[in-house]
């Protein structure tokens, strides 16, 4: 199964520099499970999506991060998830325990972005991201990337873009003599 | 109503990294009011524009920043406005009360860019931006983004690009041992 | 007169972030003069080019920097010129009197990039750029931008790209604890 | 001979800012030798590829870095090579003797990226890159750029993207008060 929304959002993620190479993944609730991009897929050319159930192992070919998506859908009412690797957000997560946006969109929409732990592909990561997204739209897995969720792919993409923008603004403010912490 | 100029300028704003996600908005004088992008529109795919009068509430669906556009058109002869979120300009506005460009285009076209206050969507923001744009082409709302105005969308876009370029040059000069203040 | 080479190189300059808005200009020797982009043209959509003689005022509509192009063609055998505003190179020119590339391409192709003075549009700028390009391919006008020249637009673009790359590498080396001077 | 894979990967390298101008080159094993991009080719429009043998001088028109490609194919089982000039990786290589990624993808896929010596076009560079790629997928030639190898162009591109991402994350972490070394 292919889907225009996945490609459209993937192109935006790529164009904004929120993901590079074939890293990152996206999913959307579908029936009693969800569809997710395949392992190694380019998000801007996602190709065939894989259907996965809300529990148990995912079919061969699904993104290796399917556990995070399962856990988020089980613990929240979100309908779509975008996982990306925005470089400023990843860098911030190495240093900070949570990101406090200083730009006005960040202050309004996600006044504190939690940084969570757990290695890629593990249940620990799935649990910590799901706990964070049960209460909000956005989390940064330390050293790894953003997980953003919402009512559709568009909303999940917007929170991803918001996170990187907030981290850029914090970082760049130091270039003008401001406190970047 | 759709319009090719809005899409053309929106693509440029996006390509230059002056706006991300579905943030920002644009408007242009039309008859006895103005047309403005819809709330949540992507500037590079603006879709249907909304007509708004110069005073009073805007129709449902208009950008939530319509008050700023109204106030600018009431207090100036500008014919078009671009509101974007260029990250270096936003970062500079957290630290500085006005940006003094050090690049030659900035020095010629906007030797001092005022930073103004007011939360997004408020009349306070509308008033402070309109006061600044009554005397010039460019203001930065603190922590929020640029408002640029001119005789058409093209000119408003150019001032937006100019503001971010000026802030990049100031910031980057510090990388070479210069004073970035 | 329109020309595919101008548009093709202009798109590359834009995509690499070497120029924004409608800033910058390009020219190429043609007959006993040269063709140059129009004032206010977008380099990625240059539209009609203007023919200018090697001396005297340029026709209405030619880029206001035509004096620089005239002076370079009079003092050198270059056949094409690209003037762009790459932000790291402009920032470096505020601080340094010449840029000494530390990347291998820069070391080979332009081991020292002179920074020259003169305000935009003046004969002083034309003279100082022409003096620098009489002996090389590249100069940075302080606070203004790069002027690169060569046997065709492609070569002039490559030197432009090289200058910004060299300045990025110098600047970024400071992020890893290196001396960025 | 032309090839869609080369153009497709070249466009990605260009879009991600991993290469600029006409710098960089790519090759892939073919029969008893390999095909390589031509000297001066734009990687996003590679045009005709040149066939080269595994030893001896390459035909006229082949990239001047053909020696590196020969040496890598002779000393390893890699089937494709991408040489790019990602600016953060080049900057890191001026300061560090090896890059230790701190992002999770870097930690998993290339926990230490060696920085190797040798001037562009020399056998010394060929030998040092080949030694590094005999044991891994990635090396950075000091002050010059990345050499990434793998089972196909796609894999070589991914390691290139990974290297620049790792270096960005290390560099940017300093903007948030972290140790960028």
């Amino acid at each position: 199964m292919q889907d225009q929304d996945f490609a459209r959002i993937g192109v935006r993620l790529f164009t904004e520099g929120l993901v590079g190479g074939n890293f990152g993944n996206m999913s959307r609730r579908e029936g009693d499970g969800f569809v997710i991009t395949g392992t190694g897929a380019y998000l801007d050319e996602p190709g065939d999506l894989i259907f996965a159930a809300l529990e148990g192992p995912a079919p061969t070919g699904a993104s290796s991060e399917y556990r995070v998506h399962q856990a988020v859908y089980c613990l929240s009412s979100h309908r779509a998830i975008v996982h990306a690797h925005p470089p400023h957000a990843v860098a911030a997560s190495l240093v900070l325990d949570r990101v406090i946006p200083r730009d006005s969109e960040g202050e309004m929409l996600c006044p504190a972005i939690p940084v969570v732990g757990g290695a890629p592909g593990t249940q620990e990561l799935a649990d910590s991201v799901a706990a964070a997204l049960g209460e909000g739209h956005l989390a940064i897995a330390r050293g790894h990337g953003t997980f953003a969720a919402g009512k559709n792919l568009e909303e999940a993409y917007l929170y991803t873009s918001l996170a990187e923008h907030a981290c850029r603004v914090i970082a760049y403010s130091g270039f003008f003599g401001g406190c970047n912490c």
Side-chain angles (χ1 to χ4, degrees), chain A:
Chain A
M1 164 197 175
Q2 301 209 359
D3 186 285
Q4 278 309 104
D5 275 353
F6 278 73
R8 191 169 51 84
I9 296 300
V11 167
R12 289 191 174 274
L13 289 166
F14 219 88
T15 306
E16 279 195 46
L18 301 171
V19 71
N22 65 0
F23 302 106
N25 42 71
M26 298 188 278
S27 73
R28 192 180 59 203
R29 284 298 310 267
E30 198 85 34
D32 54 356
F34 60 96
V35 286
I36 187 168
T37 47
T39 182
Y42 293 114
L43 295 192
D44 58 333
E45 297 178 4
D48 282 333
L49 304 173
I50 316 281
F51 180 83
L54 288 183
E55 56 183 50
T60 309
S63 164
S64 60
E65 293 287 30
Y66 73 90
R67 279 188 192 81
V68 179
H69 297 250
Q70 279 180 330
V72 172
Y73 291 133
C74 286
L75 284 186
S76 74
S77 57
H78 292 305
R79 305 286 302 170
I81 299 169
V82 167
H83 168 46
H85 294 191
H88 294 82
V90 174
S93 76
L94 291 176
V95 179
L96 306 173
D97 289 323
R98 56 182 194 163
V99 172
I100 308 294
R102 298 176 61 197
D103 61 295
S104 53
E105 277 65 41
E107 286 178 346
M108 278 190 295
L109 296 173
C110 50
I113 308 173
V115 173
V116 302
T122 63
Q123 191 61 40
E124 185 194 350
L125 177 64
D127 292 342
S128 62
V129 170
L133 295 187
E135 301 166 18
H137 288 275
L138 199 49
I140 311 177
R142 177 157 284 136
H144 181 36
T146 48
F147 286 91
K151 62 180 185 285
N152 51 32
L153 285 173
E154 222 138 359
E155 191 175 39
Y157 151 63
L158 292 174
Y159 277 95
T160 308
S161 179
L162 196 74
E164 180 69 351
H165 183 66
C167 292
R168 283 177 186 259
V169 167
I170 293 169
Y172 299 172
S173 70
F175 301 161
F176 298 93
C179 170
N180 49 353
C181 54

